[in-house]
Structures are given as C-alpha cells and as structure tokens.
Amino acid sequence: DGSASFDRQSQSSSVSGNETARVTNLNAQLGPRWYHAMSGHVTRYLGLGVSGGYGRSEIASTSAHASNWSMGAYGEAGMQYLITRYLGLGWRGTLSASRFETNNSQLTPQGFIITANAVGYHVGLNAAQLTGTLYF
C-alpha cells in the first residue's frame, strides 16, 4: 500500500506591508498491508511501512525561510465490511514514530543571518478513522 500528498499554498497579507508567504509540503508512505477474512463480508488488516516528508516555507518580501525533513515508520490495524466486491467501509487506527529536522534562516535589516536548527522525535497514536475503500 502507498500514498503520497503534495500541498502548495500562497497567502498574502498587508498587515506589515505587502507580504506573501509560500508553503510547500510533500509527504509519502509505503508498506505492505495484510488482509484476513473473518466471516462473510468482514475482513481485518494489518499494515507496516515507512513514511517521509519534506516541507519548505518562505516569505517573499524578506529572506526568511524554513525547511523540515521527517523520516519514520508506521503501523496500522483495521477492519472493513465489504458492501460489494469493490466497495468497503470500516475503521483503522495508526501508530507512528518519526525523526524530524527543522532549519530556519532569516536575514536581519542589519545584514546578519539568524539561523535556528532543531531535531526532534515524534510518537503518535492517531484517533480511529472511518474509512471507505474502493477496490479495482
């Protein structure tokens, strides 16, 4: 199983001059998922995989920008009721862990460059999600 998402947004503000902020994010996860039929139309599944992401934000009127990287792993468990051979409804829960790194940089009006770097770890137990699945 795999998924990927790409998000790019721009936001303008005139509060402190004409300022445009741009944010770009790319996230992906990839791993196998195992299904096991329980009875009739009900099936359960388990999945394991790796995940990663990259993001960048910048403010066009200044030299401020930030970037972040993340790499990690996830596990998921869920159940589905197969309404038809091609359509299922169910739920899933996900446990994830990742390491992330953030780098920020900004040029001050005096000509100095201010940088800040951070490394962190995240472990999350996501709330159960309702799912709809289309098989083909």
Side-chain angles (χ1 to χ4, degrees):
D1 186 45
S3 67
S5 66
F6 176 76
D7 181 32
R8 181 171 180 113
Q9 33 181 304
S10 293
Q11 181 176 351
S12 296
S13 170
S14 59
V15 173
S16 58
N18 192 8
E19 218 171 62
T20 301
R22 291 185 185 90
V23 179
T24 305
N25 289 304
L26 176 64
N27 296 295
Q29 66 181 37
L30 180 67
R33 184 180 285 162
W34 298 275
Y35 290 88
H36 178 72
M38 293 178 63
S39 65
H41 294 277
V42 179
T43 184
R44 67 178 181 208
Y45 61 89
L46 296 173
L48 297 172
V50 295
S51 61
Y54 172 75
R56 180 170 175 84
S57 61
E58 57 190 37
I59 299 176
S61 62
T62 69
S63 63
H65 66 272
S67 63
N68 56 47
W69 289 93
S70 67
M71 285 298 289
Y74 71 93
E76 64 180 355
M79 295 184 82
Q80 284 199 351
Y81 178 78
L82 300 173
I83 297 170
T84 70
R85 178 179 171 165
Y86 303 105
L87 179 65
L89 293 175
W91 65 268
R92 79 173 185 175
T94 307
L95 175 65
S96 60
S98 63
R99 177 188 186 276
F100 62 89
E101 183 174 328
T102 302
N103 302 304
N104 298 301
S105 177
Q106 181 176 4
L107 180 64
T108 66
Q110 296 81 18
F112 296 105
I113 297 175
I114 299 172
T115 60
N117 302 321
V119 174
Y121 299 89
H122 171 78
V123 175
L125 177 60
N126 299 335
Q129 299 171 324
L130 296 176
T131 60
T133 308
L134 183 63
Y135 297 98
F136 52 94

